[in-house]
Amino acid sequence: MSELRIVPPTGPRVRAHYLVRGTIAPHFVEAGALSAKDAIAFSPPDPRQAKELAAMVADGSIRTLGNGRFWFDMDAYEAATDARRRRNLPILILAALIIAAVAVLFYSG
């Protein structure tokens, strides 16, 4: 079985290590659409990807030039990811405290 190896495009805006999630962002990274001059034509093949694309356009991760041409803004993507993490942190801390409290209540020793 052959192994598919994806070599990221080189350039000043591409970091040495990156992690993009989902189905839309990797498509743009693989295509090298990382700036306005490298924008590609893209049409989501299904409603789930259309929803993901709309969310990424809304948070600025995907920029549009019109006429169905888009490009991936890595800086905006990382900023949106950081914002999601900061928003979820209090929820995670609260959940950990509740789990610890329940464990202490049921501790019999």
Side-chain angles (χ1 to χ4, degrees):
M1 188 193 262
S2 65
E3 187 175 304
L4 176 65
R5 182 178 171 144
I6 298 170
V7 178
T10 58
R13 300 202 20 97
V14 179
R15 287 148 182 82
H17 301 285
Y18 62 86
L19 176 63
V20 291
R21 299 179 192 272
T23 56
I24 302 292
H27 175 77
F28 284 90
V29 172
E30 290 170 9
L34 301 173
S35 68
K37 67 179 175 81
D38 298 323
I40 59 171
F42 181 75
S43 177
D46 59 50
R48 184 181 58 81
Q49 285 190 359
K51 184 178 177 181
E52 184 180 347
L53 178 66
M56 292 183 78
V57 168
D59 71 16
S61 299
I62 299 287
R63 307 285 177 144
T64 183
L65 296 178
N67 298 329
R69 295 179 53 82
F70 300 92
W71 61 280
F72 180 66
D73 186 343
M74 184 144 333
D75 293 329
Y77 178 80
E78 290 175 352
T81 300
D82 290 342
R84 273 192 302 277
R85 285 185 187 136
R86 282 191 305 274
R87 213 173 29 247
N88 291 336
L89 185 62
I91 296 168
L92 293 174
I93 291 172
L94 181 62
L97 290 173
I98 291 171
I99 291 169
V102 168
V104 168
L105 286 175
F106 288 105
Y107 178 73
S108 60

